[in-house]
Short mmCIF file of all heavy atoms in Angstrom, two decimals:
data_model
loop_
_atom_site.label_atom_id
_atom_site.label_comp_id
_atom_site.label_asym_id
_atom_site.label_seq_id
_atom_site.Cartn_x
_atom_site.Cartn_y
_atom_site.Cartn_z
N PRO A 180 -2.98 16.02 -3.42
CA PRO A 180 -1.86 16.07 -2.47
C PRO A 180 -2.19 15.36 -1.16
O PRO A 180 -3.27 15.58 -0.58
CB PRO A 180 -1.65 17.56 -2.26
CG PRO A 180 -2.11 18.19 -3.53
CD PRO A 180 -3.29 17.36 -3.96
N GLY A 181 -1.28 14.51 -0.72
CA GLY A 181 -1.44 13.83 0.54
C GLY A 181 -2.32 12.60 0.51
O GLY A 181 -2.53 11.96 1.54
N LYS A 182 -2.84 12.26 -0.67
CA LYS A 182 -3.71 11.10 -0.79
C LYS A 182 -3.12 10.07 -1.74
O LYS A 182 -2.29 10.38 -2.59
CB LYS A 182 -5.11 11.52 -1.26
CG LYS A 182 -5.88 12.35 -0.25
CD LYS A 182 -7.32 12.53 -0.68
CE LYS A 182 -8.12 13.27 0.37
NZ LYS A 182 -9.54 13.42 -0.03
N GLU A 183 -3.60 8.83 -1.59
CA GLU A 183 -3.19 7.78 -2.49
C GLU A 183 -3.79 8.01 -3.88
O GLU A 183 -4.85 8.63 -4.03
CB GLU A 183 -3.70 6.42 -1.97
CG GLU A 183 -3.12 6.00 -0.64
CD GLU A 183 -1.69 5.54 -0.78
OE1 GLU A 183 -1.38 4.88 -1.78
OE2 GLU A 183 -0.88 5.86 0.12
N ARG A 184 -3.09 7.50 -4.87
CA ARG A 184 -3.62 7.55 -6.23
C ARG A 184 -4.84 6.63 -6.29
O ARG A 184 -4.77 5.48 -5.85
CB ARG A 184 -2.54 7.12 -7.22
CG ARG A 184 -2.84 7.43 -8.66
CD ARG A 184 -1.60 7.27 -9.52
NE ARG A 184 -0.57 8.24 -9.18
CZ ARG A 184 0.56 8.39 -9.87
NH1 ARG A 184 0.77 7.65 -10.96
NH2 ARG A 184 1.46 9.28 -9.49
N GLU A 185 -5.93 7.15 -6.85
CA GLU A 185 -7.16 6.37 -6.86
C GLU A 185 -7.64 6.07 -8.27
O GLU A 185 -7.43 6.87 -9.20
CB GLU A 185 -8.29 7.09 -6.09
CG GLU A 185 -8.80 8.35 -6.72
CD GLU A 185 -10.07 8.87 -6.06
OE1 GLU A 185 -10.60 8.21 -5.15
OE2 GLU A 185 -10.55 9.94 -6.48
N PHE A 186 -8.28 4.93 -8.39
CA PHE A 186 -8.80 4.46 -9.67
C PHE A 186 -9.98 5.32 -10.11
O PHE A 186 -10.82 5.71 -9.30
CB PHE A 186 -9.25 3.01 -9.51
CG PHE A 186 -9.98 2.46 -10.68
CD1 PHE A 186 -9.29 2.09 -11.83
CD2 PHE A 186 -11.36 2.31 -10.66
CE1 PHE A 186 -9.97 1.57 -12.91
CE2 PHE A 186 -12.05 1.79 -11.73
CZ PHE A 186 -11.35 1.42 -12.87
N VAL A 187 -10.02 5.63 -11.42
CA VAL A 187 -11.14 6.35 -12.00
C VAL A 187 -11.89 5.46 -12.98
O VAL A 187 -13.10 5.28 -12.87
CB VAL A 187 -10.66 7.63 -12.72
CG1 VAL A 187 -11.82 8.31 -13.46
CG2 VAL A 187 -10.01 8.59 -11.74
N GLY A 188 -11.19 4.90 -13.95
CA GLY A 188 -11.83 4.04 -14.94
C GLY A 188 -10.80 3.25 -15.71
O GLY A 188 -9.62 3.59 -15.71
N ALA A 189 -11.24 2.17 -16.36
CA ALA A 189 -10.35 1.35 -17.16
C ALA A 189 -11.13 0.74 -18.33
O ALA A 189 -12.35 0.54 -18.24
CB ALA A 189 -9.73 0.24 -16.31
N VAL A 190 -10.39 0.46 -19.39
CA VAL A 190 -10.96 -0.21 -20.55
C VAL A 190 -10.05 -1.38 -20.91
O VAL A 190 -8.83 -1.23 -20.95
CB VAL A 190 -11.14 0.77 -21.74
CG1 VAL A 190 -9.85 1.47 -22.11
CG2 VAL A 190 -11.77 0.08 -22.93
N ALA A 191 -10.66 -2.53 -21.14
CA ALA A 191 -9.89 -3.74 -21.40
C ALA A 191 -9.27 -3.71 -22.78
O ALA A 191 -9.74 -3.02 -23.69
CB ALA A 191 -10.80 -4.97 -21.26
N GLY A 192 -8.18 -4.45 -22.94
CA GLY A 192 -7.55 -4.64 -24.22
C GLY A 192 -7.79 -6.05 -24.72
O GLY A 192 -8.53 -6.83 -24.11
N ILE A 193 -7.14 -6.40 -25.82
CA ILE A 193 -7.41 -7.69 -26.46
C ILE A 193 -6.92 -8.86 -25.61
O ILE A 193 -7.41 -9.98 -25.74
CB ILE A 193 -6.80 -7.71 -27.87
CG1 ILE A 193 -7.43 -8.81 -28.72
CG2 ILE A 193 -5.28 -7.89 -27.80
CD1 ILE A 193 -7.06 -8.72 -30.18
N ILE A 194 -5.96 -8.63 -24.70
CA ILE A 194 -5.47 -9.73 -23.88
C ILE A 194 -6.44 -10.09 -22.77
O ILE A 194 -6.29 -11.11 -22.12
CB ILE A 194 -4.08 -9.42 -23.26
CG1 ILE A 194 -4.17 -8.24 -22.26
CG2 ILE A 194 -3.07 -9.17 -24.33
CD1 ILE A 194 -2.88 -8.02 -21.50
N SER A 195 -7.42 -9.25 -22.53
CA SER A 195 -8.44 -9.54 -21.52
C SER A 195 -9.50 -10.44 -22.11
O SER A 195 -9.72 -10.45 -23.31
CB SER A 195 -9.07 -8.25 -20.99
OG SER A 195 -8.09 -7.39 -20.48
N PHE A 196 -10.20 -11.14 -21.24
CA PHE A 196 -11.22 -12.07 -21.73
C PHE A 196 -12.40 -11.33 -22.34
O PHE A 196 -13.16 -11.88 -23.12
CB PHE A 196 -11.71 -12.96 -20.59
CG PHE A 196 -12.53 -12.24 -19.57
CD1 PHE A 196 -13.91 -12.21 -19.64
CD2 PHE A 196 -11.93 -11.56 -18.52
CE1 PHE A 196 -14.67 -11.54 -18.69
CE2 PHE A 196 -12.66 -10.89 -17.57
CZ PHE A 196 -14.05 -10.88 -17.66
N ASP A 197 -12.57 -10.07 -22.00
CA ASP A 197 -13.73 -9.30 -22.44
C ASP A 197 -13.25 -8.02 -23.09
O ASP A 197 -13.32 -6.94 -22.49
CB ASP A 197 -14.65 -9.02 -21.26
CG ASP A 197 -15.99 -8.44 -21.72
OD1 ASP A 197 -16.22 -8.37 -22.95
OD2 ASP A 197 -16.79 -8.05 -20.86
N THR A 198 -12.72 -8.14 -24.29
CA THR A 198 -12.15 -6.99 -24.99
C THR A 198 -13.14 -5.84 -25.06
O THR A 198 -14.29 -6.02 -25.44
CB THR A 198 -11.76 -7.40 -26.42
OG1 THR A 198 -10.85 -8.48 -26.34
CG2 THR A 198 -11.11 -6.23 -27.15
N GLY A 199 -12.66 -4.65 -24.66
CA GLY A 199 -13.50 -3.47 -24.74
C GLY A 199 -14.36 -3.24 -23.53
O GLY A 199 -15.04 -2.22 -23.44
N ALA A 200 -14.32 -4.15 -22.55
CA ALA A 200 -15.09 -3.95 -21.33
C ALA A 200 -14.60 -2.70 -20.61
O ALA A 200 -13.43 -2.32 -20.71
CB ALA A 200 -14.95 -5.17 -20.42
N LYS A 201 -15.48 -2.07 -19.88
CA LYS A 201 -15.14 -0.85 -19.16
C LYS A 201 -15.64 -0.93 -17.72
O LYS A 201 -16.65 -1.58 -17.46
CB LYS A 201 -15.77 0.37 -19.84
CG LYS A 201 -15.34 0.54 -21.29
CD LYS A 201 -16.11 1.66 -21.97
CE LYS A 201 -15.74 1.73 -23.45
NZ LYS A 201 -16.48 2.82 -24.14
N MET A 202 -14.91 -0.28 -16.84
CA MET A 202 -15.36 -0.18 -15.46
C MET A 202 -14.97 1.17 -14.89
O MET A 202 -14.03 1.81 -15.39
CB MET A 202 -14.80 -1.32 -14.60
CG MET A 202 -13.31 -1.44 -14.58
SD MET A 202 -12.81 -2.83 -13.52
CE MET A 202 -11.06 -2.91 -13.88
N TYR A 203 -15.71 1.59 -13.86
CA TYR A 203 -15.53 2.92 -13.28
C TYR A 203 -15.62 2.86 -11.77
O TYR A 203 -16.26 1.96 -11.20
CB TYR A 203 -16.63 3.86 -13.79
CG TYR A 203 -16.69 4.01 -15.29
CD1 TYR A 203 -17.51 3.19 -16.06
CD2 TYR A 203 -15.90 4.95 -15.94
CE1 TYR A 203 -17.55 3.31 -17.44
CE2 TYR A 203 -15.94 5.09 -17.33
CZ TYR A 203 -16.77 4.26 -18.07
OH TYR A 203 -16.81 4.40 -19.44
N SER A 204 -15.02 3.86 -11.13
CA SER A 204 -15.23 4.00 -9.71
C SER A 204 -16.65 4.51 -9.48
O SER A 204 -17.25 5.15 -10.35
CB SER A 204 -14.22 4.98 -9.12
OG SER A 204 -14.47 6.30 -9.61
#
Side-chain angles (χ1 to χ4, degrees):
K182 292 190 176 181
E183 296 286 321
R184 194 166 295 187
E185 68 169 357
F186 172 76
V187 174
V190 55
I193 199 170
I194 65 172
S195 303
F196 70 94
D197 190 6
T198 303
K201 301 174 185 180
M202 56 180 171
Y203 302 92
S204 67

